[in-house]
Amino acid sequence: MYKNFKFTITHQDQKTPARCGEIHTPHGIVQTPNFIFCATKAAIKGVDLATMKQEGTQIILSNTYHLMLQPGSETIRALGGLHKMMNWDGPLLSDSGGYQIFSLGHGSVSNEIKGKRNSNRPQSLLKITEEGAKFKSYIDGSYHLLTPEKSIQIQRDLGVDFMVVLDECTPFNVTKEYTEKSMHMSHRWALRSLAEFKNHDDESQSLYGIVQGGIYDDLRKQSTDFVNENEFFAHAVGGSLGASKAQMHDIVAHTMSMLSKDRPVHLLGIGGVSDIFNGIKYGIDTFDCVHPTRLARHGGALVKVSMSENGKEHINIRNNRFKTDPNPIDSECKCSTCMRYSRGYLHHLFKAGEILGMQALTIHNVHFMNKLMLAVRGAIREDRVEEEQKIWCG
């Protein structure tokens, strides 16, 4: 299996499990560790993919749930798949659709999964059975049943390099009994996903298995054993990661200690700078999150902690203190935004509601994340991860 895919570890850090590697795909090589930007609906909000490439982006992610509802996977297949439709010649990852279905079903896109329980979003998940998940479209109210087989079929239509098995994303505030029952069902769904993948494998795609088990060490052990023993190209760490960053780091560390070391490992939905450093020190190879681009649309510019206030990883360009600031976001940054625009001008753009402001900050944040990952890879090769973390996180 996976004849056109290969993962090679090119350097192992001498002090931590951090490692550099290369994931070879039919659409190019991903150098790891790396960050995957979210083109949720087959587009990066605020910038085109040519700009993403210019800023050093190697891989992006698109969302099965949203694309199955609009425009539909058959339409994307008719347009030649996501690569051709978006004019993106690099590697692509999709998710299975499960995260959105189950998080929406619990009342929000992500709040329940991440331990926050204050959302008033209407629930759309109707029923979970062994067959799959029945839900109502947020677009037109139509009813859908997503099964493991259907998820793989949709991802095949999308033409992505990396598929993900369908799983149930259990929220934070459920019992251990529910988490265990859900995990075993997710394992059965994963086997069905794998069987469907094998039945139509044309060697152009690969499949990720997902580790579940919530906050429970023994369940995480069962789930890591499951993915290690089955024919997945790579692993993704999913499910609830706890109620705090400390708990999340503990769960990731415990999970990573049990996963096989010869496959790439992805940490789902995590994109904070300090979280990335902690992840790579446990051996995580790739990360994804909407955070950098979503933050930009709300006036947030990513900076090293030493440049911000109150230990944050960004500054809010809408704050009045930037109204007459003639300096760029970061005088050391070489992105086109920092080379062209002052904080004062960016502040004006946001106050005036100009789209250029959101676009400019998105470009800066994309550049920042790619520069961060380049620095991380360099630090691992030189066995100085801790020192590099202090530069970025203080």
Side-chain angles (χ1 to χ4, degrees), residues 23-30 89-91 161:
I23 306 175
H24 294 249
T25 82
H27 290 95
I29 298 172
V30 179
D89 61 0
D161 299 88

Side-chain angles (χ1 to χ4, degrees), residues 71-328:
S73 67
E74 299 88 351
T75 298
I76 293 173
R77 184 182 67 234
L79 290 171
L82 282 178
H83 286 94
K84 186 174 182 181
M85 187 177 85
M86 295 191 296
N87 194 24
W88 172 259
D89 61 0
L92 267 169
L93 169 73
S94 59
D95 55 16
S96 68
Y99 177 84
Q100 280 71 28
I101 289 173
F102 293 111
S103 58
L104 281 167
H106 286 291
S108 76
V109 173
S110 62
N111 283 352
E112 281 289 342
I113 301 296
K114 297 183 178 179
K116 303 173 184 177
R117 301 179 291 280
N118 59 353
S119 174
N120 295 316
R121 183 186 294 270
Q123 295 187 12
S124 61
L125 177 64
L126 302 177
K127 191 175 184 180
I128 306 170
T129 67
E130 189 70 29
E131 184 180 8
K134 186 177 182 181
F135 67 98
K136 186 166 62 174
S137 168
Y138 70 94
I139 295 175
D140 59 9
S142 58
Y143 294 96
H144 299 264
L145 175 67
L146 187 65
T147 66
E149 293 81 7
K150 182 67 173 177
S151 175
I152 294 298
Q153 292 161 11
I154 293 168
Q155 293 179 79
R156 188 181 303 119
D157 286 346
L158 300 183
V160 296
D161 299 88
F162 305 114
M163 297 178 172
V164 178
V165 301
L166 182 66
D167 65 327
E168 180 186 4
C169 302
T170 52
F172 172 74
N173 64 327
V174 295
T175 65
K176 182 177 182 180
E177 289 73 21
Y178 185 95
T179 302
E180 182 171 14
K181 180 180 178 182
S182 170
M183 178 191 73
H184 288 306
M185 185 181 71
S186 288
H187 290 172
R188 294 190 294 272
W189 283 4
L191 292 176
R192 288 166 57 189
S193 297
L194 183 58
E196 176 65 22
F197 176 84
K198 286 183 175 181
N199 285 340
H200 302 278
D201 181 20
D202 63 1
E203 301 180 352
S204 68
Q205 297 176 297
S206 62
L207 186 64
Y208 276 56
I210 297 186
V211 180
Q212 285 289 342
I215 61 175
Y216 306 102
D217 288 353
D218 57 333
L219 298 186
R220 288 280 174 180
K221 174 65 166 63
Q222 291 181 49
S223 198
T224 53
D225 287 346
F226 170 81
V227 295
N228 285 337
E229 292 165 3
N230 283 283
E231 295 179 276
F232 302 114
F233 172 71
H235 302 145
V237 179
S240 172
L241 297 174
S244 66
K245 284 198 174 189
Q247 189 174 30
M248 178 182 73
H249 296 160
D250 289 343
I251 293 168
V252 172
H254 180 66
T255 302
M256 290 302 296
S257 70
M258 298 179 290
L259 281 172
S260 58
K261 302 299 186 284
D262 60 341
R263 299 177 184 177
V265 183
H266 180 76
L267 185 57
L268 289 160
I270 300 299
V273 177
S274 62
D275 296 329
I276 286 175
F277 272 103
N278 278 282
I280 66 111
K281 288 192 291 185
Y282 302 135
I284 296 289
D285 300 295
T286 53
F287 306 79
D288 81 272
C289 194
V290 298
H291 175 67
T293 49
R294 177 179 288 171
L295 182 70
R297 297 194 300 276
H298 291 85
L302 291 169
V303 294
K304 294 173 182 174
V305 169
S306 60
M307 294 178 56
S308 69
E309 293 182 340
N310 303 320
K312 292 184 177 181
E313 296 177 351
H314 69 276
I315 58 173
N316 188 340
I317 209 70
R318 296 175 302 175
N319 287 349
N320 259 353
R321 67 190 181 94
F322 298 120
K323 185 175 182 178
T324 57
D325 191 333
N327 299 300

